[in-house]
Amino acid sequence: MASSKASLLIRAQAVYTQAEGSEPYRAVAIDGEHIIGLSADSHGLDMYIGPDTRIIDEPSATILPSFDDTHTHLMFAALSQTSVPVHLAKDIPSILSMLRDRAAQTLPGEWILTTANWQEYNLVEKRFPTLQELDTVSTVHPILVKRGGHNMVANSIAMKLAGIKADAQSPEGGVIGRNEDGTLNGLLQDNALGPILAISPQPSTEDLIAGIEGASKSYAATGIGCVRDCCVFANQMPVLKATYDAGKLHVRVRALVAALAMKSVAEVESLLDEMEQWRSLDSNPWLRVWGVKFILDGGIEASATEEPYVGRPDHGCCGPTDFCGTLTWEPDVLVEAMDAVLRRGWRIGTHAFGDRAVRILLDVYEKLQKRNPNLPAGSLVMEHGGLAVAEERARAVRMGIPVTVQHPLLHDAAGILSEYIGLERDSHIYPVRQWIDAGAEVSGGSDYPVGGYGAMLSVWGMTTRQTVIGVLGPEHAISVQESITLHTTQAAKLTKEQDIRGCILPGRYADLTVWSRDPLAIDVSELRELQPRYTIIGGKVIHEP
């Protein structure tokens, strides 16, 4: 006789625990937040059924742990809930039409912002809209067209409010874009974003809570149970906490507080002072601060490479260049800034996409490891490592540096990336097969809004290497099981939670997904559109039919 009754019991065709050497089960029992039993007999846990037990009987279904997205941007998704949905546009006239529609409903002087999950290459014109085009929409509304996390295009009134004048010079590690005639075109990249970020409006607390609620439900509906948000601004932490307190946070969040656009140790020290108040979340199973996020090189159009770019479409250049991307920190200063973070006991995740950035980041991390010989494993993480070559992959493994990879980014951005770095290098972005074979600690994510989020969307991408311009680098593909592992057990290891989640075992958190079809048995081409019937986080049914 069971000593306690289950709050939830699920029967299925197969329960894949993800525990090494485990055979599939047929039933799982949950009491509150935790798993209390597994059985190879679909009715083997019926002794846990009580008057208040909910039973989900899905005899042909497959159960897996819920997935982690180890590098994504939940807060971007939250902020986009009410933004102009330009990601649906196919060309620039459609973007301008959407903006005009919003302007007609917006009071003069109020800002108009867009979603960021789109690529200019995928538009008919294969370029950004310009300041001049945005001014045809409105000169009485500040307009910001966002693309990913590294680019924005502003109209003239937004540029004026930000203090960016006609003679403004691009800052180190950033770009203020210009037309062929030398006039501003509204494009701002990387370290040039600071002035516009400082004045762009923040939604009300109520609106942002609603945005986080909607976005977290959307992640859960794709099978994701935990997000590692790699760009949370310090002033957004209170709203995340308020969302959790209100019972409206529907995925677990591991926040990396952003040191974005910072250039000095003093700025980072100030950020660390502000972060102290959030140590109280260390034992919170839903919302925690994972550490600090640094950015070492630019995005798609400015990742730091060893060899020059083949073109610079954002500068109107289509042909050989001498440009090798941008570093956003001076390495010696970055060592001091990161050392300050480590002395406070926080972890560090650093964006390094190009091969030169990967090499320099490992140089920085090596110096930090020498300064801090007792640094806990996993304190220093490489975010992306997109163009990491064999020598640097082996070096990262020797140093014990985990890496997060995001095939959805490659899928969506492959076309525009090929215009900058060429198809050959494009094909070798995210060499996941080689990372795994080298013994690296790898985990998977999306990098939304650059790529789309979704559990099986990511698995499909890593197993097929499909992109918007076809299959790239098939030699880097991995199996479905390996892909699932990168989002479950390996992801839990990255957050130092491998003993409490990532597997379906008694005593672990009841973070599960229920699938109508077995992802390990169907053709990989069908994974892209596969969505879970149920997503269960901490014993709560977050998503269901």
Side-chain angles (χ1 to χ4, degrees):
M1 188 78 175
S3 59
S4 63
K5 299 301 180 183
S7 53
L8 177 63
L9 188 144
I10 313 172
R11 304 184 185 116
Q13 176 65 34
V15 180
Y16 296 124
T17 69
Q18 290 298 109
E20 189 173 352
S22 174
E23 294 296 321
Y25 290 92
R26 297 289 303 277
V28 56
I30 297 163
D31 183 25
E33 293 185 297
H34 295 93
I35 297 163
I36 57 172
L38 291 164
S39 177
D41 180 347
S42 59
H43 288 280
L45 301 177
D46 286 1
M47 77 285 290
Y48 286 106
I49 298 173
D52 299 319
T53 302
R54 178 179 177 181
I55 300 172
I56 295 177
D57 204 341
E58 295 278 348
S60 62
T62 295
I63 299 177
L64 291 167
S66 67
F67 283 48
D68 281 29
D69 188 331
T70 62
H71 185 115
T72 193
H73 300 285
L74 172 70
M75 295 306 294
F76 271 83
L79 290 165
S80 295
Q81 295 291 299
T82 58
S83 298
V84 180
V86 298
H87 61 283
L88 302 176
K90 303 299 182 184
D91 53 33
I92 288 174
S94 298
I95 289 177
L96 300 178
S97 177
M98 291 179 182
L99 292 169
R100 286 192 186 97
D101 289 344
R102 180 61 62 88
Q105 306 166 33
T106 305
L107 292 174
E110 293 187 0
W111 288 69
I112 297 174
L113 310 176
T114 74
T115 53
N117 52 321
W118 61 282
Q119 299 295 333
E120 68 274 15
Y121 180 88
N122 300 333
L123 298 175
V124 170
E125 298 84 357
K126 299 188 184 301
R127 65 171 176 84
F128 290 103
T130 65
L131 174 152
Q132 289 75 22
E133 288 169 327
L134 297 184
D135 277 355
T136 69
V137 172
S138 176
T139 55
V140 297
H141 301 91
I143 299 174
L144 275 184
V145 177
K146 303 177 181 181
R147 198 274 274 152
H150 295 261
N151 296 266
M152 295 184 188
V153 182
N155 69 345
S156 58
I157 186 172
M159 297 284 272
K160 181 178 179 180
L161 290 170
I164 302 172
K165 300 178 181 180
D167 60 352
Q169 299 298 308
S170 295
E172 185 177 352
V175 171
I176 297 175
R178 296 187 179 278
N179 297 306
E180 289 184 5
D181 63 4
T183 57
L184 296 173
N185 66 9
L187 179 64
L188 303 169
Q189 289 177 358
D190 294 312
N191 283 355
L193 292 171
I196 211 84
L197 291 173
I199 64 162
S200 57
Q202 295 297 315
S204 68
T205 298
E206 293 75 18
D207 286 347
L208 191 48
I209 288 174
I212 296 169
E213 179 181 27
S216 60
K217 281 184 177 179
S218 178
Y219 273 88
T222 73
I224 294 168
C226 181
V227 299
R228 188 166 166 270
D229 190 326
C230 289
C231 188
V232 177
F233 292 102
N235 63 3
Q236 293 173 333
M237 282 301 303
V239 188
L240 271 170
K241 178 62 164 54
T243 306
Y244 165 75
D245 289 341
K248 296 180 178 180
L249 187 61
H250 300 294
V251 293
R252 303 187 193 275
V253 175
R254 305 298 178 251
L256 277 71
V257 179
L260 190 64
M262 294 181 182
K263 298 180 182 179
S264 70
V265 178
E267 289 175 295
V268 173
E269 290 276 16
S270 179
L271 175 67
L272 294 170
D273 290 342
E274 192 172 354
M275 288 173 59
E276 283 300 317
Q277 63 188 302
W278 302 113
R279 291 191 188 277
S280 60
L281 295 174
D282 285 354
S283 60
N284 187 312
W286 283 82
L287 174 62
R288 297 179 184 176
V289 174
W290 182 91
V292 177
K293 167 70 177 295
F294 287 89
I295 295 177
L296 180 55
D297 65 339
I300 290 167
E301 48 296 298
S303 59
T305 56
E306 302 284 9
E307 299 297 327
Y309 282 33
V310 301
R312 297 191 72 187
D314 58 330
H315 284 59
C317 168
C318 310
T321 78
D322 59 1
F323 182 64
C324 291
T326 301
L327 292 177
T328 57
W329 279 87
E330 197 283 314
D332 289 340
V333 178
L334 185 58
V335 170
E336 301 304 325
M338 289 184 171
D339 198 36
V341 175
L342 297 177
R343 289 198 307 270
R344 300 280 192 109
W346 296 110
R347 289 172 286 189
I348 294 170
T350 307
H351 167 115
F353 197 91
D355 48 0
R356 180 163 60 100
V358 168
R359 173 176 57 78
I360 291 171
L361 177 63
L362 292 178
D363 290 344
V364 168
Y365 279 180
E366 195 167 52
K367 291 177 181 177
L368 291 168
Q369 288 181 332
K370 288 179 179 177
R371 287 190 183 190
N372 301 274
N374 297 317
L375 199 62
S379 295
L380 301 170
V381 174
M382 182 189 300
E383 310 293 340
H384 306 304
L387 285 170
V389 297
E391 180 182 354
E392 302 305 336
R393 293 196 299 268
R395 185 180 172 202
V397 171
R398 289 196 303 271
M399 293 171 62
I401 304 298
V403 60
T404 66
V405 297
Q406 305 82 29
H407 186 273
L409 177 157
L410 176 60
H411 176 273
D412 287 9
I416 189 63
L417 277 163
S418 69
E419 297 287 309
Y420 287 95
I421 63 173
L423 194 58
E424 172 64 20
R425 278 184 288 189
D426 202 4
S427 298
H428 295 299
I429 290 173
Y430 294 135
V432 184
R433 171 78 277 146
Q434 288 70 28
W435 275 116
I436 292 174
D437 289 349
E441 184 180 325
V442 189
S443 57
S446 66
D447 200 24
Y448 175 90
V450 186
Y453 57 79
M456 290 302 159
L457 176 68
S458 186
V459 171
W460 167 79
M462 286 197 285
T463 56
T464 65
R465 295 285 296 188
Q466 281 284 354
T467 76
V468 292
I469 57 172
V471 174
L472 292 181
E475 68 273 23
H476 304 308
I478 60 175
S479 70
V480 172
Q481 179 58 70
E482 287 172 319
S483 302
I484 292 171
T485 298
L486 298 197
H487 290 85
T488 54
T489 53
Q490 282 294 101
K493 185 178 180 182
L494 179 69
T495 61
K496 303 303 177 190
E497 297 173 84
Q498 63 267 35
D499 294 332
I500 57 175
R501 50 180 206 89
C503 290
I504 302 174
L505 293 172
R508 306 288 178 98
Y509 280 117
D511 294 1
L512 317 172
T513 50
V514 182
W515 306 84
S516 58
R517 305 181 70 195
D518 187 342
L520 291 161
I522 65 175
D523 190 275
V524 293
S525 64
E526 300 177 67
L527 292 172
R528 183 179 189 179
E529 304 297 331
L530 186 63
Q531 301 290 349
R533 284 182 58 78
Y534 299 86
T535 302
I536 299 158
I537 311 299
K540 299 178 183 178
V541 180
I542 304 295
H543 166 75
E544 61 183 310

